[in-house]
Amino acid sequence: MMDALSVVSQLRDLASEPQNRAVIVQDQGCLPGLVLFLDHQSPEVLLATLQTLRYLAELSPNVPTMKNELGMMVSLETLIGREGLSLDITSLAQEVFNILNAPPVPVPCSPEREKRKKSQFFLNSSNKKAKSVTLQIQGLDSTDQRSLCEQALLTVRGVISFTFQMASKRCTVRIRADLPTESLATAIAATKVLSAQQVVRNEAGQEVFIPLNPSGVKVQQNSSLPDYLPEEEESPVREVDRAISRTTAKEDSSGSWLNSAASFLTRTFYW
């Protein structure tokens, strides 16, 4: 039988896919189970739970539902004040709490301005699709290095969004479909203190690392940094080797994989 870490890790993998986030939050068993996991004694379970919540909160319509979930905000506050936890856990708990507690930000964006912003961010206006890449970043040891990495990624034209997992020194980056992954490595290597490898799964489902050689070609940069594009406006695609996050739930029209995972979570939570 799967243990708590296996269960929440599976849900985190599902939540890493943008198209799964609304379904997970709407499911009757997932959010209550995640709230229960926020009280778990295992640091690994706590971190995986917070990473899952952070993914889910990236979809703006999820935020009110998550905030209003019974026990969510109280559990996060308790976790923030809990002694003996790593900085990664308390910092991520605070980050999730702040996102859920922030007042809604109005987006007074006219269609004309939105069109102009998109055309600036995408070199080719017909290029509507994006892909997700998971990077293992050597040297990502502190918030200072994280800031360096953020600044490096923000300068690359074609980067849509990114999420850090500091405990595992990883960053999941959503990029335009035609942007070479090596461009990310080039930008990160330019910091002089960080380097990146791509994390993928092989046919056996095992994680493997692919070296990314910084290309000699100059990385195309944003002249001015645009706002991140909304997740729902992009359709994630995968390279042949696929990034670490899973796509089965998207490919299965019945959503059976996500449904079975949610059902298993519900059964596990109420033992």
Side-chain angles (χ1 to χ4, degrees), residues 138-229:
Q138 299 301 318
L140 192 64
D141 300 317
S142 70
T143 53
D144 289 338
Q145 277 77 35
R146 170 174 170 162
S147 296
L148 273 178
C149 192
E150 287 175 348
Q151 292 303 316
L153 292 173
L154 282 171
T155 62
V156 181
R157 179 175 291 189
V159 169
I160 299 169
S161 65
F162 46 80
T163 303
F164 286 90
Q165 297 88 45
M166 292 297 290
S168 54
K169 298 183 181 181
R170 290 185 179 180
C171 180
T172 302
V173 190
R174 295 194 66 234
I175 61 177
R176 195 182 55 210
D178 64 346
L179 179 69
T181 305
E182 287 75 17
S183 295
L184 302 178
T186 301
I188 290 172
T191 63
K192 306 297 185 184
V193 295
L194 302 173
S195 61
Q197 293 179 297
Q198 187 177 2
V199 185
V200 300
R201 288 192 186 277
N202 59 22
E203 293 300 321
Q206 300 170 324
E207 290 185 7
V208 294
F209 298 91
I210 298 178
L212 294 175
N213 296 320
S215 60
V217 180
K218 184 178 180 180
V219 176
Q220 199 155 22
Q221 298 185 336
N222 289 311
S223 55
S224 60
L225 300 181
D227 298 332
Y228 283 163
L229 295 180

Side-chain angles (χ1 to χ4, degrees), residues 112-163:
E112 194 62 32
R113 180 172 176 268
E114 186 67 21
K115 183 178 179 181
R116 194 163 57 247
K117 186 164 63 174
K118 285 184 186 178
S119 62
Q120 177 191 19
F121 204 51
F122 287 90
L123 298 181
N124 186 334
S125 60
S126 65
N127 206 349
K128 298 288 187 179
K129 293 187 177 182
K131 61 186 177 184
S132 293
V133 176
T134 299
L135 301 176
Q136 184 76 37
I137 302 176
Q138 299 301 318
L140 192 64
D141 300 317
S142 70
T143 53
D144 289 338
Q145 277 77 35
R146 170 174 170 162
S147 296
L148 273 178
C149 192
E150 287 175 348
Q151 292 303 316
L153 292 173
L154 282 171
T155 62
V156 181
R157 179 175 291 189
V159 169
I160 299 169
S161 65
F162 46 80
T163 303

